[in-house]
Amino acid sequence: MELIGSCGINNDLSSTIGLDNLGQQFWNLSPDELVDDCIISKQGIVTDTGALAINTGEFTGRSPKDRFIVRDDITENFVWWGDVNLGISPEKFDLLYARMQDFLVGKDVYVRDAYACADDKFRLNIRVVTELPWSNLFAYNMFLRPTHDEIQNFSPEWHIICIPSFQANPEIDGTRQHNFAVLNFTKKMILIGGTGYTGEIKKGIFSALNFILPHQKSVLSMHCSANIGLTGDTAIFFGLSGTGKTTLSSDPNRRLIGDDEHGWSDETVFNFEGGCYAKTIDLTRDKEPQIFDAIKFGALLENIKFKGDTSIPDYTDGSITENTRVSYPIHFIENIAKPSIGSAPKNIFFLTADAFGVLPPISKLTKAQAMYHFMSGYTAKVAGTEVGVTEPTTTFSAGFGAAFLPLHPAKYAKLLGEKLDGSEIRVWLLNTGWSGGSYGVGSRMKLSYTRAMITAALTGKLDNVNFEILPIFELAFPSSCEGVPSELLNPRNTWANKDSYDQTANNLASKFVKNFEKFSEGTSSEILNASPKVLSR
Ligand code: ATP
Ligand code: MN
């Protein structure tokens, strides 16, 4: 057995997690060394700007149906079991892991010591063992990086084992198919196999923190981005995938705290991560300069194509997947908060990409509406590529991140409600989706307009303007906003056919109502009253 690279005194994978008879162990290699290994083994190509481009293989996105949590004394009575949180027995976990241990015999592994949570009070040490060098680079980019000295005495609390080429056997292992991500809170382990999609690594720890922090430490964990203004005012942006968390939190006038996962304790808002994971589809320097310029040596691009025979990425090409991505350490963005911590937010934005074109581009929520929309967690997916399918579909995901929330949504809502109660925090709903009609007729809200609306909200420019109430959804939207054409602010105005707007709005409202039925019990009448009012016609 050979240890290569730099490791501390706690470097025994046998006594800690029972990995024996491994090949070479590459410990905490630098990005240079990992990139070299990728190139030599033909797993990656260096782009014109020095980034490493790899393909993640069969999976180019997460696989929520294959994410399991071990049912044990810690989880049994607290996890909200169901379609999102699938249970698996401790025995099956042990069997699966035993087969992974066998699989690794004689094989080289890459080991990375890292941690989550920028607030020291909540720091969680993680050891990531990966089969592939680029999975390890992802862990380096996305988690917080211990100093050289910290590595000397590093003692891991959680372990992630990521083996893309290991295939589960559903009959033996109790999985649904060959790929899986399994969380075990007793053993503090996350097993990932059958998939190379890197996002499983970060969202695995995120799911663990979404259990640990609210349940054991009374900290609200959130699927949101966060940044901080010149006067120290924190803003957070909740939203499901593709609604703009990463894009909108990178703002030249505000320091970035983080782009995806945060905790809100009594004193702080803190990033869980040490990096960003941005979408690159249709990326241009013009529209997203900070993200574009972060794609340099050390950054890891996933599933992109190149322009002709060059090494210049073609970000317009979605032929491998629309979910092309890049990960990079957070300091690749120029303007960041150090450490990644802010105070309690002054402004909260809920981002939704409403492909129906019904919701106003910006509206100001009452506290009851804020709770209602947080629990609803609405966004829409655009129509598929199938011929004739032109209707967008609704997605409701409680807390804007149900896929990563092991506890009942009411638990997170309760923590948020306590923070909002009696506070001056302003909550805004932003539609970063369609205007002028549904997908197919209207068009996506211009990024520059959405940015202008956020700036106006953050700088108090919406404090003294007139607000109007949108019927059905009863949302208060401003009549004017600096940098945005006023006619865009009332969504109904932007539709050529007003009847069609009214009908679409009413249909969407009924979907909100139907989705909320499951929360009607145990939710206060004040919040229930914040529901849209479907008109009978
Ligand atoms: P994930 O949770 O998957 O990381 P995300 O919320 O971070 O998703 P982004 O990566 O910010 O989502 O993706 C938003 C995408 O939508 C970007 O590709 C961005 O360029 C595009 N976009 C187009 N118009 C807008 C708009 N008005 N506001 C925000 N994003 C927009
Ligand atoms: Mn993001």
Side-chain angles (χ1 to χ4, degrees), residues 62-73:
R62 284 183 309 100
S63 188
K65 291 192 176 126
D66 301 296
R67 210 257 345 222
F68 301 86
I69 298 176
V70 175
R71 299 185 91 116
D72 55 24
D73 291 347

Side-chain angles (χ1 to χ4, degrees), residues 11 21 62-63 121 155 177-178 203 219 230 233 241 254 262-263 274 329 332 340 351 365 374 394 397 432 456 534:
N11 60 20
N21 304 315
R62 284 183 309 100
S63 188
K121 237 169 130 180
S155 79
Q177 51 181 37
H178 60 284
K203 285 299 191 329
V219 170
L230 291 172
D233 64 302
S241 186
R254 299 176 62 84
H262 293 82
F332 281 20
S340 303
L351 309 176
L365 304 182
F374 181 75
T394 54
S397 179
T432 64
V534 181

Side-chain angles (χ1 to χ4, degrees), residues 357-358 470 491-492 495 497-506:
V358 164
L470 184 78
R492 194 168 184 270
W495 285 53
N497 184 337
K498 310 291 183 226
D499 279 348
S500 171
Y501 174 85
D502 294 340
Q503 207 178 342
T504 310
N506 221 28

Side-chain angles (χ1 to χ4, degrees), residues 76-136:
E76 185 60 52
N77 295 324
F78 297 103
V79 165
W80 193 40
W81 303 108
D83 291 349
V84 167
N85 295 304
L86 304 163
I88 194 167
S89 71
E91 293 74 28
K92 287 286 179 196
F93 177 93
D94 289 345
L95 240 144
L96 176 63
Y97 186 49
R99 300 206 316 111
M100 291 173 87
Q101 288 167 310
D102 282 349
F103 182 89
L104 285 178
V105 167
K107 293 203 172 64
D108 297 348
V109 294
Y110 294 83
V111 190
R112 166 77 43 204
D113 290 338
Y115 65 99
C117 299
D119 187 334
D120 278 338
K121 237 169 130 180
F122 306 102
R123 174 172 171 149
L124 185 88
N125 279 353
I126 306 163
R127 179 163 287 166
V128 191
V129 179
T130 69
E131 173 189 18
L132 302 174
W134 47 261
S135 312
N136 204 270

